[in-house]
Amino acid sequence: MIEVVSRGLSDLTIVSAADLSTARDWADFGRLLSRLKLDRGLSFIQIQKRAEALSLQRSLPPATVNPIMKGMRRPAKESLECLLEVFDVRPAERTAWLSAWQRLAETLSATSLPRFDEVSPRQLGVHAAIAAGDSSGELPVYVQRDFDDHLRSHLSEQIDQGRFVLLVGRSSSGKTRSLYEAVRVVAPNWPIVQPSGTAEIIDLLHGTRQRIIVWLDEMQRFLGADPRLTKEHVIRLLQFPALVVATLWSDDYLMRRSPGGSGVPADLQNDRRLLDLAEVVSVSAELSSEERAAAVQAARTDPRIRLALAVQDAGLTQVLAAGPDLLRRWEHAPDPYAKAVISFAADARRLGVLSPITEATFESAIGGYLTSSQRVNRPPRWLTDALAFSQQEVHGAVAALATRDDGRTGRLTGYVVADYVAQHIRRAQCPPAGAWEALVTGVEDAEDLRRLAFAATARMRYRHEEQALRRLLELHGEGVVELAGVLLRSGRVQEALDLLRQHLDATPDDRVAAARHAHIATLARRVGELRTAAEAGDAEAGRRLAELCADGGVADALRARADAGSLLAEEDLAALLADRGAVDELRSRADSGKQPAADALAELLASHGRRDLLQQRAERGDQAAARQLMKLRDSTTAADGAAVQAQIAHLRRGIIGGDDAAARQLTTLLFDLRNEAELRREVDAGTLQAAERLVALLNADENVDRSFVDRLRTHGLEADGAPCVPGEA
């Protein structure tokens, strides 16, 4: 039972305004807070429980409160306000506490921060390099990169107005080292802060304005945090002025810079606004010829560079960070259980799970990575031994998995995978069903569950998308609109309406949910009509039903307006049908005299090289088909298989490197090549737009089973790639 502090205790001034005025630093401030805690007779656990009972805006676990009381950490302003609420401090006394906090924040911010040149590169996140013979110094010689001048120019131009620069690239591509070297040249004597979370940035905004470096290595920690870092926070920092410098993994950047739409969570769109503010510098994991020449020159004096250049199957920066040895350890693991543990951890990271993975989650997930015999004959200590192997460091620098605690010594919460490992294994394979289910049931963080649902959508694993969203709704009361969309897509219209109505009864002010409910309600009648016709044997009605549920009535509405005589709607509909590969309907509309449909059909057939169909239509007087056929005949460029494969490989590297357009270009290229196998591979890898292009490719095949395409569009795939059958668990 939670102890409640009586109002009578708060009437005693345990800590006076005079006491607070004598606090010289955060240690003094923490001692005064400890005096309050002692007077109220609350333990750290009781503080946490009382904060939960009061539904305060910030949780107060012992790992947060204990360092504050000991003066080891400055309390976030919101945390202090919550502590004062827990201790039942009177409003007038709270004002004195907050004034003292503000005074210390302003007076200590400038004096307590180190200068950039006083902080070691290791503290800033620069990887420890490999060891080699007679090497000396903390870091190997810096190899100049092609983008260095560009980066330093971004940092130094109008520096007094503040700068926000973001380096994007694969893990171990040299982002942090390049950023360190650039700032060392541009602003070596500026104070620097390395916030552990967005709350510290918000506190910084309340302090004295001064020129400062805000170092956000691995920026995804702030994008998925609570509170979330926003564009407005950074704009206020730039007014200090601040150099806000950050690094971000390519996949995280590409996911958040993807085009908005009904399938993209609102939080990702918020992140996109923030990323749009940054000056972005792309960091390739592969050295250019000029960079390699510089590395060869550096290798004359640094044996670590010589050793790294001697490795043929990995880049210089990855070798320096000991990455290849980590991959070899995975490839040549001593048993299938050790390999499976690392494989699952890598899959979890790529599916968006950033929280530490518990041993229980490992145990429930691993079965899908093993054969039947390996599952039956598991040795007694298989998980303990596998985790021990995965934590062994390579060159004393990095391990495949690292342990994480909850802020208290010796309390293991789980394991996180090294970025390099996550990025380089199993990309083209979709995780097994057991991995999805273990993550859905084992993950509790709201942002992890949102990312997990988003990853399932990209891979057409709609069953697991629904599971993740239901878990999100159960634990956090969030995701109801997205879940309703999943139910609508699968044709469960009434279930979607009931879900939204139940939510609105409890949360009537949720305008987004109300708008979604109204929209689905308007579709319900049309869904009923199409379902009745489909059940009576109308195949076209069945296709229209699947389409309406999948796109929320977009095409259906365009069709109605076009049929009513709107030329603009006719053009938009033709473009949409072409994008979806709807050859049959385009042909029907073109044959009925709709010129936009004829133009779109001809372009679609030409992109697929369908000279036979273009010839047939041209002979019947289709001028659009004749024009496209003429273009194909005039083209002297033959398809070079080797060149196409090189382009595909280049685009895949671009996707890993964070190129916004690479995913769209690759999936469009595979669609035009009618390469179903490679598109399926990209779907399994979660490549943006691959799912839409796969459905469009199947739709464009005149010999395809249309009912199969409809089921795929609405129900997606099982984890193993088989079509999902509705109603089967």
Side-chain angles (χ1 to χ4, degrees), residues 357-403:
I357 302 172
T358 65
E359 292 187 8
T361 303
F362 275 113
E363 183 147 15
S364 61
I366 296 306
Y369 297 83
L370 304 172
T371 66
S372 177
S373 175
Q374 290 165 350
R375 289 193 293 269
V376 171
N377 299 309
R378 289 186 298 187
R381 290 175 48 86
W382 70 272
L383 182 57
T384 300
D385 293 342
L387 290 172
F389 172 80
S390 68
Q391 293 174 75
Q392 294 173 3
E393 291 187 343
V394 175
H395 296 305
V398 64
L401 298 185
T403 57

Side-chain angles (χ1 to χ4, degrees), residues 27-87:
D28 288 346
F29 196 81
R31 281 191 288 271
L32 294 174
L33 281 172
S34 293
R35 189 189 302 176
L36 269 183
K37 171 181 174 294
L38 180 63
D39 178 78
R40 299 310 195 249
L42 294 175
S43 68
F44 288 122
I45 295 297
Q46 288 172 324
I47 290 173
Q48 180 180 14
K49 290 182 177 179
R50 179 162 171 75
E52 293 170 353
L54 293 171
S55 299
L56 300 181
Q57 61 178 331
R58 297 292 293 273
S59 60
L60 296 175
T64 297
V65 178
N66 192 20
I68 291 173
M69 299 279 184
K70 291 182 178 179
M72 299 166 57
R73 179 188 302 171
R74 181 179 76 172
K77 188 175 183 181
E78 290 83 355
S79 296
L80 174 60
E81 290 171 337
C82 292
L83 277 171
L84 297 176
E85 180 75 16
V86 166
F87 292 148

Side-chain angles (χ1 to χ4, degrees), residues 51 57 79 161 174 296 303 377 406 437 468 597 604:
Q57 61 178 331
S79 296
Q161 297 179 21
V296 170
N377 299 309
D406 63 356
E437 290 163 3
L604 179 62

